[in-house]
Amino acid sequence: MLAVRRLHADCYLETGYVEESDLDSDGLIADPWIPFSDYYSAIDTAAGDQLVGTCRIIRPSVRGFPAFQECETRPEALEVFGTLDPLRCVEISSLATPRIGMQNMAISAALYGLVWQESIAQGRAYMLAVMDDRLLRIMRRWFEFPFETIGDPCHYMGSPSTPVSMYIPRTIEVLSANNPEALRFFSGDIPFEALNDYALDLRAVVPEHRSNVIDLRRSRALR
């Protein structure tokens, strides 16, 4: 736990997401969400079990989720999430790796695969995030994840960011049709048939929030 939190702090400090004043006496990011978080790590076994990446899931709790607190939530999102069972949601955050280029992409994708599989195992319907706009463009362009805006853009953790949700049933359907290789990678050992059944079952009990799917090129131009 200490190692992944230190890696998170070091990476965010280096990229300018946080400043020295944001760190505690142990060099860690002061964070009220830690008691509600499950951390995941990427280990390079070829480099002597070196820690090379981390991210986390913020579980549902009485505290809520950062995605609805750090930026102003839009009314159409509140219509769905205001009455939704919070146990159907998780928030993904704290992605960090010191590697660059394709190694960065590979590590980040593997970590997102872990949290995707864990979200399905726990019966979640939505993955939430307050996502750095640069990472959001990568996730939309490279992996075709159908993120939906749930709030106004804001400045969060030192960078322009957007609060988003991803409805897991729709993601399964979109990737099955458009990018089955990505779906196979992120889903690991979960067979497509089980994913399709999961999507159908969730659609019957959890409503889908739809906004305009983020056009990253337009978003970039507006900024």
Side-chain angles (χ1 to χ4, degrees):
M1 183 69 165
L2 181 62
V4 296
R5 289 192 61 201
R6 185 159 289 147
L7 176 67
H8 177 214
D10 290 345
C11 290
Y12 276 38
L13 186 63
E14 183 177 350
T15 56
Y17 288 172
V18 298
E19 300 177 355
E20 291 282 356
S21 58
D22 297 313
L23 306 183
D24 62 20
S25 58
D26 295 319
L28 307 176
I29 298 173
D31 184 350
W33 300 98
I34 290 170
F36 314 104
S37 298
D38 296 323
Y39 284 82
Y40 298 81
S41 61
I43 306 295
D44 186 348
T45 55
D49 292 339
Q50 180 183 2
L51 176 65
V52 295
T54 184
C55 71
R56 68 175 174 175
I57 285 177
I58 299 176
R59 302 184 303 273
S61 71
V62 294
R63 188 176 180 88
F65 293 104
F68 297 111
Q69 298 181 22
E70 298 297 338
C71 310
E72 178 140 7
T73 306
R74 293 181 176 173
E76 62 270 22
L78 284 175
E79 290 181 6
V80 172
F81 292 101
T83 58
L84 185 67
D85 182 353
L87 293 176
R88 290 298 189 177
C89 302
V90 290
E91 184 156 340
I92 313 306
S93 73
S94 303
L95 178 67
T97 172
R99 301 294 176 89
I100 60 175
M102 292 304 295
Q103 286 189 337
N104 179 307
M105 286 284 290
I107 292 168
S108 299
L111 286 166
Y112 270 103
L114 284 176
V115 298
W116 166 263
Q117 293 166 40
E118 188 64 19
S119 297
I120 291 174
Q122 294 176 1
R124 313 301 187 187
Y126 283 97
M127 298 171 71
L128 310 170
V130 183
M131 193 170 289
D132 174 89
D133 286 349
R134 292 168 294 181
L135 176 60
L136 185 55
R137 285 191 290 274
I138 290 172
M139 300 302 284
R140 285 284 297 137
R141 183 176 300 135
W142 287 85
F143 302 121
E144 302 186 51
F145 282 152
F147 287 105
E148 304 276 352
T149 306
I150 61 172
D152 296 332
C154 59
H155 199 73
Y156 178 65
M157 294 293 287
S159 69
S161 301
T162 302
V164 293
S165 69
M166 191 171 72
Y167 187 55
I168 289 179
R170 181 162 181 258
T171 306
I172 291 170
E173 293 157 7
V174 167
L175 292 185
S176 292
N178 300 337
N179 197 342
E181 293 79 12
L183 181 60
R184 184 172 295 107
F185 172 82
F186 284 111
S187 301
D189 295 332
I190 307 173
F192 278 16
E193 183 178 353
L195 290 171
N196 292 333
D197 289 343
Y198 184 78
L200 287 172
D201 291 343
L202 274 184
R203 277 198 177 277
V205 294
V206 182
E208 179 178 5
H209 165 253
R210 294 292 296 270
S211 64
N212 293 325
V213 175
I214 298 169
D215 184 335
L216 298 168
R217 290 170 297 181
R218 182 173 181 272
S219 174
R220 180 67 172 174
L222 289 174
R223 292 180 188 283

